[in-house]
Short mmCIF file of all heavy atoms in Angstrom, two decimals:
data_model
loop_
_atom_site.label_atom_id
_atom_site.label_comp_id
_atom_site.label_asym_id
_atom_site.label_seq_id
_atom_site.Cartn_x
_atom_site.Cartn_y
_atom_site.Cartn_z
N VAL A 34 64.98 135.29 180.47
CA VAL A 34 63.56 135.50 180.74
C VAL A 34 62.77 134.24 180.36
O VAL A 34 61.89 133.81 181.11
CB VAL A 34 63.03 136.75 179.99
CG1 VAL A 34 61.52 136.86 180.12
CG2 VAL A 34 63.70 138.01 180.51
N ASP A 35 63.10 133.65 179.21
CA ASP A 35 62.43 132.41 178.79
C ASP A 35 62.63 131.31 179.82
O ASP A 35 61.69 130.59 180.18
CB ASP A 35 62.99 131.92 177.45
CG ASP A 35 62.58 132.76 176.26
OD1 ASP A 35 61.63 133.56 176.38
OD2 ASP A 35 63.24 132.63 175.20
N GLU A 36 63.85 131.18 180.30
CA GLU A 36 64.18 130.15 181.29
C GLU A 36 63.38 130.35 182.58
O GLU A 36 62.80 129.41 183.12
CB GLU A 36 65.68 130.20 181.58
CG GLU A 36 66.18 129.18 182.55
CD GLU A 36 67.68 129.34 182.78
OE1 GLU A 36 68.42 129.59 181.82
OE2 GLU A 36 68.09 129.22 183.95
N ILE A 37 63.33 131.59 183.05
CA ILE A 37 62.59 131.89 184.28
C ILE A 37 61.10 131.63 184.07
O ILE A 37 60.44 130.99 184.90
CB ILE A 37 62.85 133.34 184.74
CG1 ILE A 37 64.30 133.49 185.19
CG2 ILE A 37 61.87 133.75 185.85
CD1 ILE A 37 64.76 134.92 185.38
N GLU A 38 60.57 132.10 182.95
CA GLU A 38 59.15 131.91 182.68
C GLU A 38 58.81 130.42 182.56
O GLU A 38 57.78 129.96 183.08
CB GLU A 38 58.77 132.65 181.40
CG GLU A 38 57.28 132.73 181.15
CD GLU A 38 56.92 133.64 180.00
OE1 GLU A 38 57.73 133.83 179.07
OE2 GLU A 38 55.80 134.17 180.04
N ARG A 39 59.66 129.65 181.91
CA ARG A 39 59.44 128.21 181.78
C ARG A 39 59.44 127.53 183.15
O ARG A 39 58.58 126.71 183.46
CB ARG A 39 60.53 127.61 180.88
CG ARG A 39 60.33 126.18 180.48
CD ARG A 39 61.34 125.68 179.45
NE ARG A 39 62.69 126.22 179.56
CZ ARG A 39 63.20 127.17 178.76
NH1 ARG A 39 62.48 127.70 177.80
NH2 ARG A 39 64.43 127.59 178.93
N ASP A 40 60.40 127.92 184.01
CA ASP A 40 60.44 127.37 185.37
C ASP A 40 59.16 127.68 186.13
O ASP A 40 58.64 126.82 186.86
CB ASP A 40 61.64 127.91 186.15
CG ASP A 40 62.97 127.34 185.71
OD1 ASP A 40 62.98 126.38 184.92
OD2 ASP A 40 64.00 127.87 186.17
N LEU A 41 58.66 128.89 185.97
CA LEU A 41 57.44 129.29 186.68
C LEU A 41 56.24 128.52 186.15
O LEU A 41 55.38 128.08 186.92
CB LEU A 41 57.21 130.79 186.54
CG LEU A 41 58.28 131.69 187.17
CD1 LEU A 41 57.98 133.16 186.87
CD2 LEU A 41 58.41 131.46 188.65
N GLN A 42 56.17 128.33 184.83
CA GLN A 42 55.05 127.60 184.24
C GLN A 42 55.08 126.13 184.63
O GLN A 42 54.03 125.50 184.75
CB GLN A 42 55.07 127.74 182.72
CG GLN A 42 54.68 129.12 182.25
CD GLN A 42 54.86 129.33 180.77
OE1 GLN A 42 55.53 128.55 180.08
NE2 GLN A 42 54.28 130.40 180.25
N ASN A 43 56.27 125.58 184.82
CA ASN A 43 56.40 124.18 185.21
C ASN A 43 56.17 123.95 186.69
O ASN A 43 56.10 122.80 187.13
CB ASN A 43 57.78 123.64 184.80
CG ASN A 43 57.90 123.49 183.30
OD1 ASN A 43 56.91 123.33 182.60
ND2 ASN A 43 59.12 123.55 182.81
N SER A 44 56.05 125.01 187.44
CA SER A 44 55.81 124.90 188.88
C SER A 44 54.39 124.39 189.12
O SER A 44 53.46 124.71 188.37
CB SER A 44 56.00 126.26 189.55
OG SER A 44 55.61 126.20 190.90
N THR A 45 54.23 123.63 190.15
CA THR A 45 52.90 123.14 190.51
C THR A 45 52.13 124.16 191.35
O THR A 45 50.95 123.94 191.64
CB THR A 45 53.01 121.82 191.29
OG1 THR A 45 53.80 122.04 192.47
CG2 THR A 45 53.63 120.72 190.44
N ARG A 46 52.79 125.25 191.69
CA ARG A 46 52.15 126.27 192.53
C ARG A 46 51.30 127.21 191.67
O ARG A 46 51.70 127.59 190.58
CB ARG A 46 53.23 127.07 193.25
CG ARG A 46 54.14 126.17 194.08
CD ARG A 46 55.30 126.92 194.61
NE ARG A 46 54.93 127.55 195.87
CZ ARG A 46 55.69 128.41 196.51
NH1 ARG A 46 56.87 128.74 196.03
NH2 ARG A 46 55.29 128.92 197.64
N ARG A 47 50.17 127.59 192.19
CA ARG A 47 49.30 128.55 191.48
C ARG A 47 49.84 129.97 191.62
O ARG A 47 49.69 130.78 190.73
CB ARG A 47 47.88 128.49 192.03
CG ARG A 47 47.10 127.32 191.53
CD ARG A 47 45.66 127.35 192.00
NE ARG A 47 44.99 128.63 191.89
CZ ARG A 47 44.27 129.03 190.85
NH1 ARG A 47 44.14 128.25 189.82
NH2 ARG A 47 43.67 130.21 190.85
N GLU A 48 50.42 130.25 192.76
CA GLU A 48 50.98 131.58 193.01
C GLU A 48 52.46 131.43 193.31
O GLU A 48 52.87 130.54 194.05
CB GLU A 48 50.27 132.28 194.16
CG GLU A 48 48.86 132.65 193.84
CD GLU A 48 48.20 133.48 194.93
OE1 GLU A 48 48.90 133.91 195.88
OE2 GLU A 48 46.99 133.70 194.84
N ILE A 49 53.23 132.34 192.75
CA ILE A 49 54.68 132.35 192.94
C ILE A 49 55.06 133.62 193.68
O ILE A 49 54.68 134.73 193.27
CB ILE A 49 55.42 132.31 191.58
CG1 ILE A 49 54.98 131.12 190.73
CG2 ILE A 49 56.93 132.33 191.79
CD1 ILE A 49 55.36 129.77 191.27
N ASN A 50 55.81 133.48 194.73
CA ASN A 50 56.30 134.62 195.49
C ASN A 50 57.31 135.38 194.65
O ASN A 50 58.14 134.78 193.97
CB ASN A 50 56.94 134.09 196.78
CG ASN A 50 57.32 135.18 197.73
OD1 ASN A 50 58.10 136.06 197.39
ND2 ASN A 50 56.78 135.12 198.93
N SER A 51 57.27 136.70 194.71
CA SER A 51 58.21 137.52 193.93
C SER A 51 59.66 137.23 194.33
O SER A 51 60.58 137.38 193.53
CB SER A 51 57.90 139.00 194.09
OG SER A 51 58.03 139.40 195.44
N ARG A 52 59.86 136.79 195.54
CA ARG A 52 61.20 136.43 196.01
C ARG A 52 61.77 135.29 195.17
O ARG A 52 62.95 135.28 194.83
CB ARG A 52 61.15 136.05 197.49
CG ARG A 52 62.47 135.74 198.11
CD ARG A 52 63.19 137.02 198.41
NE ARG A 52 64.49 136.71 198.99
CZ ARG A 52 65.35 137.62 199.31
NH1 ARG A 52 65.08 138.88 199.14
NH2 ARG A 52 66.50 137.30 199.82
N MET A 53 60.93 134.34 194.83
CA MET A 53 61.36 133.21 194.01
C MET A 53 61.80 133.68 192.61
O MET A 53 62.81 133.22 192.09
CB MET A 53 60.22 132.19 193.88
CG MET A 53 60.57 130.94 193.14
SD MET A 53 59.11 129.87 193.11
CE MET A 53 59.88 128.34 192.74
N ILE A 54 61.06 134.61 192.05
CA ILE A 54 61.42 135.17 190.74
C ILE A 54 62.73 135.93 190.86
O ILE A 54 63.65 135.76 190.04
CB ILE A 54 60.30 136.07 190.20
CG1 ILE A 54 59.04 135.24 189.96
CG2 ILE A 54 60.75 136.77 188.90
CD1 ILE A 54 57.80 136.06 189.65
N GLY A 55 62.85 136.76 191.87
CA GLY A 55 64.09 137.53 192.08
C GLY A 55 65.30 136.63 192.27
O GLY A 55 66.38 136.91 191.75
N ASP A 56 65.12 135.52 192.98
CA ASP A 56 66.22 134.58 193.18
C ASP A 56 66.66 133.97 191.86
O ASP A 56 67.85 133.77 191.62
CB ASP A 56 65.81 133.46 194.15
CG ASP A 56 65.70 133.93 195.59
OD1 ASP A 56 66.15 135.06 195.91
OD2 ASP A 56 65.16 133.16 196.41
N LYS A 57 65.70 133.69 190.98
CA LYS A 57 66.04 133.14 189.67
C LYS A 57 66.77 134.17 188.82
O LYS A 57 67.72 133.84 188.10
CB LYS A 57 64.78 132.65 188.96
CG LYS A 57 64.18 131.41 189.59
CD LYS A 57 62.93 130.96 188.87
CE LYS A 57 62.33 129.73 189.51
NZ LYS A 57 63.18 128.56 189.48
N VAL A 58 66.35 135.42 188.90
CA VAL A 58 67.02 136.49 188.15
C VAL A 58 68.46 136.65 188.64
O VAL A 58 69.40 136.68 187.85
CB VAL A 58 66.27 137.83 188.27
CG1 VAL A 58 67.08 138.97 187.66
CG2 VAL A 58 64.90 137.74 187.60
N ILE A 59 68.63 136.72 189.93
CA ILE A 59 69.95 136.96 190.49
C ILE A 59 70.89 135.79 190.16
O ILE A 59 72.06 136.01 189.83
CB ILE A 59 69.88 137.26 192.01
CG1 ILE A 59 71.11 138.04 192.46
CG2 ILE A 59 69.75 136.06 192.87
CD1 ILE A 59 70.82 139.45 192.78
N ALA A 60 70.39 134.57 190.19
CA ALA A 60 71.21 133.41 189.85
C ALA A 60 71.60 133.45 188.37
O ALA A 60 72.75 133.16 188.01
CB ALA A 60 70.46 132.12 190.16
N GLY A 61 70.66 133.83 187.52
CA GLY A 61 70.95 133.92 186.09
C GLY A 61 71.95 135.01 185.77
O GLY A 61 72.89 134.80 184.99
N LEU A 62 71.76 136.18 186.37
CA LEU A 62 72.69 137.29 186.11
C LEU A 62 74.09 136.99 186.62
O LEU A 62 75.08 137.41 186.02
CB LEU A 62 72.17 138.59 186.74
CG LEU A 62 70.98 139.23 186.04
CD1 LEU A 62 70.49 140.44 186.84
CD2 LEU A 62 71.34 139.64 184.62
N LYS A 63 74.17 136.25 187.69
CA LYS A 63 75.48 135.88 188.24
C LYS A 63 76.27 135.09 187.21
O LYS A 63 77.49 135.25 187.11
CB LYS A 63 75.28 135.06 189.52
CG LYS A 63 76.53 134.81 190.29
CD LYS A 63 76.16 134.10 191.59
CE LYS A 63 77.33 133.93 192.49
NZ LYS A 63 76.96 133.22 193.73
#
Side-chain angles (χ1 to χ4, degrees):
V34 173
D35 289 344
E36 181 181 319
I37 292 168
E38 190 171 28
R39 189 173 35 257
D40 287 350
L41 297 176
Q42 289 172 345
N43 289 335
S44 173
T45 58
R46 303 171 86 188
R47 283 185 44 92
E48 292 186 8
I49 305 293
N50 187 301
S51 62
R52 184 78 181 178
M53 184 180 199
I54 296 170
D56 288 348
K57 290 180 181 297
V58 171
I59 203 108
L62 287 175
K63 189 175 186 181

